[in-house]
């Protein structure tokens, strides 16, 4: 029998002709990503296990992206970024997107200057999963391991990408290898195109609602079919990002011209010179289950508090009032997310407190450059009452230290473009978080309750 | 793995995510720093809503839990990849979890760190026990029984990862299998 895309990558990277689900392989890792929350612990384990003078297996294989607890006065969080910096210098890491200017100098958040104006230096980039793609670190056929559950985002590029904890990551750091059990694959065959007002986020919330938020546990989620052609790379990233919200080990997309164009462009722009292999699933590959999804039938979808599988349709939730709207994160804070959000807002005002946190510095720059009417997207959002920060990062997506921008510090009801809504996720344990697409969040911000963006087109 | 664990259980229901096991505001604590490891333990399971779980896993002002086994429902540990989660449970004194099922990364982190045994019951045990019950968990024979009762609840075999769990975690396993050198070493001698 043939192999799925995931099986092919795992076979090739463990130098085997063939693998089947359930096999355990010791695979070569192409890129290991870590950030400020899990990096220091990973480094601690690496030194403990391999020795204080141990070196990483490849100095351009480890990509370090501080992004979680950056714009905060919290001393331990600041210290953690400092320890990433010393490690990057000690190991001569080629890819360290430091918060400052990348010259090794210490950087500190200035509380007095406030959260809105840019405080970072020229080497800072933003949220790891989006930065990996922007900077040319995500490539078809490769294995990417990250100390973050949403590492599965990179599966959008036809690679095997999954999140692990510090101990596994420390093993990769020292050896360049990882033990992986070959997962079974669920196939999602997409047909048609998403209707106007409907986004990739709606599709993945629909799927998680369908299979349950542990419905893909231990399994790969493969996306293919003619429907891919209407999905941009950013939209594919949104879908792959939330694979872990269904419990998936990895999400993976078939590679097409859209993928290769994106990857080649980002590598060229950022001086990354790596050859990658485009692999595809065999026609006789074995799947644990096949789902056929007609994109035309998807509607604006929300995941109501308290988990990403608690699905509802936006049009059926008009009676749910909201106190706050939030657009940001690796799932919903990319350029296209903000453009769609701004488009739905039109010339209307947000009627509830609304926070905007671009995922990356690049998104900030592009929002300021992109014209909209006689202004820019950035200025339009600010005029509409959205409190926009230039300090790209994870911000309130996972709560964070209490001084984090946009953190839900009270028992609010918030609609958000992020990916998780477990109790306490955005801060207060008794806050209610509903997840939706950037368009649905914009419509809801205007209405003051959950609203269907198709009514605001 | 000849271990027998005797002590009180702490019982939780379905879908306990990593934010409830160790809320994100404590993630600036680095588990490899001894004092911060202790502090992580003091916050273990503090994200559980007080309304549903009035009996806390670790009492305020304490570092250690009086419970050595956690009995859980489905999908325990869903959410983030933070290794702080199993580490916090272990640091508080928990030795094992017996859940109906686990989220993948949490399970993997239990195995890799050796912080707690991640066991699965053949049945849904969180409906059979109450917080404070005293049980005996026999890891080798794979059964859990309430002390003073003859009823034994079977556990599922760990399968492939049994060997890693037996070795006490990923690095011990890798050394015992010759995947990395027995000594602490530089990477050029590894694999
Ligand atoms: S934006 Fe949110 S989900 Fe994405 S990496 Fe940051 S904390 Fe995690």
């Amino acid at each position: 029998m043939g192999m799925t895309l995931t099986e092919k990558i795992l076979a090739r990277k463990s130098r085997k002709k063939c693998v089947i689900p359930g096999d355990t392989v010791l695979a070569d890792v192409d890129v290991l990503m870590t950030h400020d929350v899990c990096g220091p612990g990973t480094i601690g384990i690496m030194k403990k296990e391999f020795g204080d003078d141990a070196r990483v297996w490849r100095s351009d294989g480890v990509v370090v992206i501080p992004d979680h607890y950056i714009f905060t006065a919290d001393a331990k969080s600041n210290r953690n970024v400092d320890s990433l910096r010393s490690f990057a210098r000690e190991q001569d890491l080629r890819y360290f997107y430091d918060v400052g200017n990348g010259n090794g100098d210490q950087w500190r958040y200035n509380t007095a200057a406030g959260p809105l104006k840019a405080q970072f230096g020229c080497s800072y980039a933003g949220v790891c999963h989006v930065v990996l793609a922007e900077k040319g670190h995500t490539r078809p056929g490769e294995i990417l391991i990250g100390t973050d559950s949403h590492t599965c985002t990179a599966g959008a590029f036809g690679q095997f990408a999954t999140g692990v904890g510090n101990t596994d990551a420390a093993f990769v750091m020292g050896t360049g290898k990882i033990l992986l059990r070959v997962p079974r694959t669920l196939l999602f065959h997409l047909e048609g195109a998403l209707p106007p007002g409907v986004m990739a986020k709606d599709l993945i919330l629909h799927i998680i609602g369908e299979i349950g938020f542990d419905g893909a546990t231990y399994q790969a989620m493969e996306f293919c079919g003619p429907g891919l052609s209407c999905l941009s790379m950013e939209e594919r990233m949104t879908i792959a990002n939330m694979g872990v919200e269904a419990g998936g080990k990895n999400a993976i997309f078939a590679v097409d011209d859209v993928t290769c164009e994106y990857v080649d462009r980002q590598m060229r722009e950022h001086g990354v010179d790596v050859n990658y292999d485009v692999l595809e699933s065999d026609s006789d590959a074995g799947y644990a289950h096949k789902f056929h999804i007609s994109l035309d039938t998807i509607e604006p979808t929300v995941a109501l508090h308290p988990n990403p599988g608690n699905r509802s349709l936006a049009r059926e939730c008009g009676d749910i009032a909201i106190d706050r709207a939030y657009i940001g994160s690796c799932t919903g804070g990319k350029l296209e997310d903000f453009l769609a959000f701004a488009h739905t807002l039109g010339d209307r005002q947000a009627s509830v407190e609304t926070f905007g946190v671009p995922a990356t510095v690049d998104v900030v720059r592009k929002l300021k450059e992109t014209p909209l009417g006689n202004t820019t997207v950035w200025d339009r959002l600010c005029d509409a009452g959205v409190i926009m920060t230039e300090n790209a990062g994870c911000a309130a997506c996972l709560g964070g230290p209490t001084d984090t921008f946009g953190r839900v510090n009270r028992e609010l009801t918030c609609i958000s473009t992020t990916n998780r809504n477990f109790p306490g996720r955005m801060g207060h344990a008794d806050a209610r978080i509903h997840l939706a697409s950037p368009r649905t969040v914009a419509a809801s911000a205007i209405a003051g309750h959950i609203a269907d963006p198709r009514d605001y087109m | 793995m000849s271990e027998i664990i005797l002590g009180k259980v702490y019982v939780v229901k379905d879908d306990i995510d990593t934010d409830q096991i160790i809320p994100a505001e404590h993630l600036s604590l680095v588990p490899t720093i001894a004092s911060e490891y202790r502090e992580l333990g003091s916050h273990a399971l503090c994200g559980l809503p007080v309304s549903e779980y009035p009996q806390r896993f670790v009492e305020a002002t304490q570092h250690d839990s009086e419970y050595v086994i956690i009995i859980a429902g489905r999908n325990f540990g869903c959410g983030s990849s933070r290794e702080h989660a199993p580490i916090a449970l272990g640091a508080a004194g928990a030795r094992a979890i017996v859940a109906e099922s686990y989220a993948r990364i949490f399970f993997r982190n239990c195995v890799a760190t050796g912080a707690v045994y991640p066991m699965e019951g053949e049945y849904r045990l969180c409906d059979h026990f109450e917080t404070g019950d005293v049980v005996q968990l026999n890891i080798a024979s794979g059964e859990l029984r309430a002390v003073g009762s003859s009823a034994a609840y079977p556990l599922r075999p760990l399968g492939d990862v049994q060997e890693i769990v037996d070795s006490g975690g990923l690095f011990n396993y890798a050394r015992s299998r010759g995947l990395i050198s027995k000594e602490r070493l530089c990477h050029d001698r590894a694999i």
Side-chain angles (χ1 to χ4, degrees):
Chain A
M1 190 163 51
M3 288 188 283
T4 68
L5 183 47
T6 296
E7 289 157 10
K8 270 197 184 170
I9 296 172
L10 296 182
R12 181 176 287 215
K13 293 292 177 183
S14 57
R15 301 183 195 86
K16 289 185 164 37
K17 269 217 182 70
C18 174
V19 297
I20 55 168
D23 286 355
T24 298
V25 299
L26 187 65
D28 292 334
V29 173
D30 293 283
V31 173
L32 173 74
M33 185 282 297
T34 190
H35 52 50
D36 55 295
V37 165
C38 295
T42 301
I43 294 164
I45 297 171
M46 178 197 155
K47 301 244 159 158
K48 174 169 157 264
E49 298 290 346
F50 293 106
D52 286 332
D53 54 355
R55 307 289 298 173
V56 301
W57 97 100
R58 233 179 52 223
S59 64
D60 60 356
V62 180
V63 178
V64 180
I65 311 179
D67 59 352
H68 275 63
Y69 299 168
I70 308 302
F71 304 103
T72 170
D74 180 68
K76 287 206 174 71
S77 302
N78 296 163
R79 172 208 61 189
N80 290 347
V81 178
D82 292 344
S83 75
L84 294 182
R85 184 177 304 113
S86 6
F87 183 72
R89 186 170 336 132
E90 166 199 301
Q91 300 282 329
D92 227 353
L93 297 188
R94 175 151 172 214
Y95 301 112
F96 171 48
Y97 299 97
D98 197 1
V99 189
N101 286 314
N103 53 7
D105 288 353
Q106 210 183 47
W107 175 93
R108 281 291 176 269
Y109 179 64
N110 176 359
T111 306
L116 302 186
K117 280 274 155 225
Q119 292 209 22
F120 48 82
C122 61
S123 62
Y124 183 63
V127 177
C128 56
H129 310 299
V130 186
V131 170
L132 282 170
E134 268 178 9
K135 304 286 187 188
H137 301 301
T138 53
R139 300 173 290 254
E142 294 194 348
I143 293 186
L144 168 74
I145 300 295
T147 59
D148 191 286
S149 60
H150 293 106
T151 304
C152 54
T153 309
F157 299 91
Q159 65 183 130
F160 179 86
T162 194
V164 298
N166 300 354
T167 302
D168 278 304
F171 189 84
V172 177
M173 249 184 196
T175 65
K177 311 230 176 219
I178 186 161
L179 277 169
L180 289 169
R181 170 145 9 126
V182 179
R184 301 194 307 163
T185 299
L186 299 175
L187 184 74
F188 296 85
H189 190 263
L190 310 180
E191 279 152 30
L194 291 171
V198 179
M199 303 184 69
K201 180 69 170 286
D202 298 306
L203 171 63
I204 188 64
L205 291 178
H206 169 81
I207 289 174
I208 298 167
E210 201 64 29
I211 66 176
F213 80 113
D214 58 356
T217 300
Y218 293 111
Q219 300 178 82
M221 299 170 77
E222 180 177 322
F223 295 86
C224 69
L228 289 198
S229 62
C230 81
L231 296 173
S232 69
M233 282 323 298
E234 288 196 6
E235 286 177 300
R236 297 178 199 186
M237 286 166 71
T238 304
I239 294 167
N241 177 281
M242 291 195 71
V244 68
E245 279 6 293
K249 179 167 192 157
N250 66 310
I252 194 160
F253 276 73
V255 176
D256 60 10
D257 293 346
V258 178
T259 322
C260 295
E261 264 164 44
Y262 182 104
V263 170
D264 294 345
R265 186 181 63 237
Q266 299 315 117
M267 289 209 309
R268 203 168 47 239
E269 269 179 27
H270 296 282
V272 178
D273 187 15
V274 178
N275 293 321
Y276 60 83
D277 290 320
V278 174
L279 304 174
E280 53 185 43
S281 293
D282 292 324
S283 55
D284 60 343
Y287 292 94
H289 198 85
K290 291 184 185 175
F291 297 86
H292 290 269
I293 297 178
S294 163
L295 298 180
D296 307 86
T297 63
I298 305 297
E299 293 191 66
T301 303
V302 290
L304 297 175
H305 174 84
N307 73 62
N310 192 15
R311 178 180 61 171
S312 219
L313 291 176
R315 63 179 164 81
E316 290 168 352
C317 296
D319 56 340
I320 301 180
I322 53 161
D323 308 302
R324 178 179 290 188
Y326 184 94
I327 170 166
S329 85
C330 50
T331 329
K334 303 181 292 310
L335 181 64
E336 290 173 17
D337 297 317
F338 273 94
L339 296 181
F341 182 90
H343 190 259
T344 296
L345 265 184
D347 52 11
R348 288 170 285 242
Q349 293 292 114
S351 72
V352 296
E353 187 181 39
T354 301
F355 291 91
V357 188
T360 67
V361 170
D362 203 50
V363 175
V364 173
R365 182 176 57 77
K366 287 182 173 144
L367 289 174
K368 292 189 169 210
E369 285 169 6
T370 309
L372 186 67
N374 51 10
T375 176
T376 63
V377 177
W378 183 276
D379 287 342
R380 172 78 271 277
L381 291 171
C382 294
D383 290 346
V386 182
I387 309 165
M388 295 288 295
T389 179
E390 294 170 355
N391 291 312
C394 295
C397 171
L398 84 163
T402 44
D403 60 348
T404 300
F405 178 73
R407 188 178 192 273
V408 179
N409 286 331
R410 290 167 288 138
E411 292 174 45
L412 302 174
T413 298
C414 175
I415 189 160
S416 172
T417 66
T418 53
N419 49 29
R420 279 198 182 126
N421 57 346
F422 298 115
R425 170 71 179 180
M426 292 185 78
H428 199 286
D430 295 313
R432 299 173 70 81
I433 313 296
H434 306 308
L435 307 176
S437 79
R439 284 189 184 276
T440 301
V441 170
S444 308
I446 299 165
H449 54 78
I450 296 182
D452 188 323
R454 294 171 300 188
D455 298 336
Y456 293 82
M457 298 201 348
Chain B
M1 194 160 71
S2 56
E3 194 126 18
I4 291 177
I5 302 169
L6 176 71
K8 285 190 195 171
V9 298
Y10 189 81
V11 181
V12 295
K13 297 296 181 187
D14 296 331
D15 304 321
I16 302 302
D17 81 296
T18 51
D19 271 300
Q20 296 180 69
I21 299 172
I22 183 78
E25 69 228 54
H26 304 302
L27 297 187
S28 58
L29 296 167
V30 175
T32 44
I33 300 174
S35 59
E36 296 185 18
Y37 170 84
R38 285 287 288 157
E39 197 184 334
L40 272 170
S42 71
H43 301 303
L45 285 170
C46 78
L48 290 174
V50 182
S51 50
E52 263 179 82
Y53 298 95
Q55 183 69 47
R56 307 309 283 170
F57 181 65
V58 183
E59 291 300 336
T61 74
Q62 297 293 307
H63 276 95
D64 300 314
S65 173
E66 55 180 300
Y67 307 99
V68 290
I69 297 167
I70 294 160
I71 294 188
R74 254 176 85 163
N75 203 23
F76 188 79
C78 56
S80 94
S81 66
R82 63 190 71 157
E83 194 165 287
H84 307 69
I87 295 284
L89 297 175
R95 305 281 313 285
I97 305 163
V98 182
E100 189 181 351
S101 67
Y102 293 92
R104 183 191 72 84
I105 306 179
F106 179 86
F107 182 82
R108 186 172 176 120
N109 285 342
C110 290
V111 172
T113 57
V116 279
Y117 288 109
M119 311 305 291
E120 282 181 358
E122 286 283 3
Y123 313 108
R124 180 179 169 81
L125 296 180
C126 63
D127 298 333
H128 289 271
F129 289 92
E130 280 177 22
T131 293
D133 288 351
V134 180
V135 305
Q136 179 169 311
L137 173 63
N138 187 327
I139 302 271
S141 67
E143 61 173 29
L144 180 81
R145 61 173 76 230
V147 168
S149 147
S150 57
Y153 299 92
L155 308 179
R156 293 217 182 102
L158 278 168
D160 282 6
V161 300
Q162 177 89 52
E163 243 186 292
I164 308 180
V165 171
D166 284 348
S167 323
L170 174 66
F171 278 94
N172 289 345
Y173 168 80
R175 289 207 169 86
S176 71
R177 293 289 299 266
L179 297 179
I180 55 176
S181 151
K182 292 248 185 296
E183 307 301 320
R184 300 198 323 174
L185 43 57
C186 299
H187 81 291
D188 56 5
R189 279 192 285 140
I191 300 192

